[in-house]
Amino acid sequence: MTRKILVSALAVLGVLLVAAAVLAPGQLRDSAVQVPGDFTQETVLAGTASLLDRSSVMVPGPLRVEQGTEIRIDTTTEAESRTEADDLVVRTEATGVTGAGTEFHSAIDVVTVDPGTRIAVAAPESTMRAPAAAAAKPTPARTGTYWTFPADTARADLPYFDSATLTPVTARYLDADREIEGQRVLHFRFEVRDYDMAGSPANSQPARLPLPAAKWGLPGDDVLTMNLYYTLVQDMWVEPETGSVLDTVVQPTSYFAAAPGDPNQIVVYAGELRFTPETVTALARSAQDGRDSLRLVFVYVPIGIAVVGGLLVLIAAYLAVRGRRPGSGGGTTAAAPTAAAEDQPAPVTASS
């Protein structure tokens, strides 16, 4: 009876472990792909750009644009807190400086995201402000991701949110022709064309600027008001398993003009920047760590559980078969019958 109980227990346990190995990845996926509560990411974009000399606004003569200015944008994205609904409040602070150390851009963006999908949620309200501003401005409801992509990123167009204009865009899938640090990455691109920044809460500088015609390099003495327009082409290379963006190239252009396509436009900022090699290496290592963690959950642990379960089933089957073999310790065999009395030789006696 003890053997039968042992065999049954091993078989049941083995089957349960095999079933758990099959079901575990699906049950653990949501927690495995979530953005951790202590998440922090630092990136650096660097390159050269044409930059409006702000001091030329206040001095006689037309506006001046400095060519070939070295640019560096440092960005820190970190998990700030959790809401009662267990969503994640993410804070992104970006600061842009020239090679001479002059700050030309700064913004603090706060948005609440679902830590699993990385998609923004409605509450609490997303905000954006300049560091020196007294209060943050509410921003429009957001759709899509904006600093990372979802885990298991598909080779298809995806919704994205441009934090420069605070508008939804489509990140178009282009190809998978590149490897970064041995990791195959997917190439996405989104574009914003001639967006009028007037009234946008993302804008930290005047979006309509009235100046004498001479300042705009035009004839006459009239005061002309120009609007600020923005164009961006951004390429991103994404590690698909984790959704991590490993490299980025941005080509932003902002300019004052009477209308898009105005030949007399004045450049405020135009250039090409990309992640520094140090940033790409750090992001690639982080993505590799993330892939290892996901594979531990989705591959190695289930395989290990399945192997143990299968071995238990085999052991149970072996014990069951062995217990039924004649002569084995697990069963009982009938004693060999004794010879019949009439077949036994008669005892020898003295008288005979």
Side-chain angles (χ1 to χ4, degrees):
M1 180 61 69
T2 302
R3 178 183 293 275
K4 291 182 178 180
I5 294 175
L6 177 61
V7 169
S8 299
L10 290 175
V12 170
L13 181 58
V15 171
L16 290 176
L17 287 175
V18 172
V22 174
L23 298 175
Q27 298 296 320
L28 298 176
R29 184 186 185 283
D30 288 345
S31 59
V33 302
Q34 285 196 0
V35 179
D38 59 351
F39 167 80
T40 299
Q41 176 181 285
E42 295 183 351
T43 61
V44 178
L45 284 165
T48 58
S50 300
L51 203 62
L52 177 66
D53 182 358
R54 296 181 182 180
S55 65
S56 66
V57 177
M58 307 304 296
V59 299
L63 297 173
R64 295 192 304 270
V65 178
E66 299 290 341
Q67 306 292 332
T69 303
E70 292 185 1
I71 296 294
R72 175 188 173 103
I73 300 178
D74 294 87
T75 302
T76 300
T77 303
E78 59 186 348
E80 192 172 69
S81 62
R82 285 194 181 274
T83 67
E84 293 183 358
D86 207 32
D87 291 321
L88 205 60
V89 179
V90 177
R91 181 180 189 271
T92 300
E93 182 170 357
T95 303
V97 297
T98 67
T102 303
E103 184 177 301
F104 70 93
H105 166 76
S106 60
I108 297 175
D109 188 27
V110 178
V111 60
T112 304
V113 302
D114 181 313
T117 64
R118 298 107 184 263
I119 301 294
V121 298
E125 192 174 43
S126 301
T127 62
M128 178 173 282
R129 70 178 178 89
K137 298 179 181 179
T139 61
R142 306 193 184 195
T143 58
T145 60
Y146 82 107
W147 96 90
T148 184
F149 280 66
D152 297 325
T153 299
R155 300 189 181 194
D157 297 353
L158 293 171
Y160 197 77
F161 196 85
D162 176 37
S163 58
T165 59
L166 294 178
T167 57
V169 295
T170 297
R172 293 183 293 110
Y173 169 71
L174 298 181
D175 57 65
D177 298 338
R178 182 182 175 191
E179 286 189 0
I180 297 178
E181 300 283 334
Q183 301 174 72
R184 179 67 61 181
V185 289
L186 308 183
H187 182 193
F188 291 86
R189 174 182 295 164
F190 77 84
E191 301 181 31
V192 177
R193 293 291 180 183
D194 301 313
Y195 180 84
D196 190 346
M197 295 294 290
S200 171
N203 189 42
S204 59
Q205 56 188 332
R208 289 191 178 92
L209 187 59
L211 289 174
K215 298 296 292 182
W216 299 115
L218 298 173
D221 299 324
D222 295 339
V223 173
L224 303 178
T225 298
M226 301 290 185
N227 283 14
L228 182 65
Y229 294 93
Y230 180 80
T231 290
L232 174 69
V233 178
Q234 180 163 329
D235 289 87
M236 296 166 289
W237 286 266
V238 179
E239 194 290 305
E241 288 187 45
T242 61
S244 302
V245 179
L246 304 192
D247 197 8
T248 294
V249 175
V250 295
Q251 301 175 65
T253 301
S254 58
Y255 62 92
F256 280 109
D262 184 353
N264 298 310
Q265 62 184 236
I266 299 294
V267 169
V268 176
Y269 171 49
E272 179 175 298
L273 297 88
R274 72 181 309 149
F275 280 163
T276 62
E278 295 78 10
T279 296
V280 173
T281 298
L283 293 175
R285 288 175 180 171
S286 178
Q288 183 62 62
D289 291 342
R291 291 174 65 198
D292 291 344
S293 297
L294 291 176
R295 289 179 179 181
L296 180 66
V297 172
F298 296 133
V299 180
Y300 303 125
V301 170
I303 288 177
I305 294 175
V307 168
V308 172
L311 287 175
L312 291 178
V313 171
L314 290 176
I315 291 172
Y318 170 75
L319 292 176
V321 172
R322 184 173 180 272
R324 290 195 294 268
R325 288 178 180 174
S328 68
T332 59
T333 56
T338 59
E342 59 273 18
D343 294 334
Q344 297 180 358
V348 177
T349 63
S351 60
S352 61

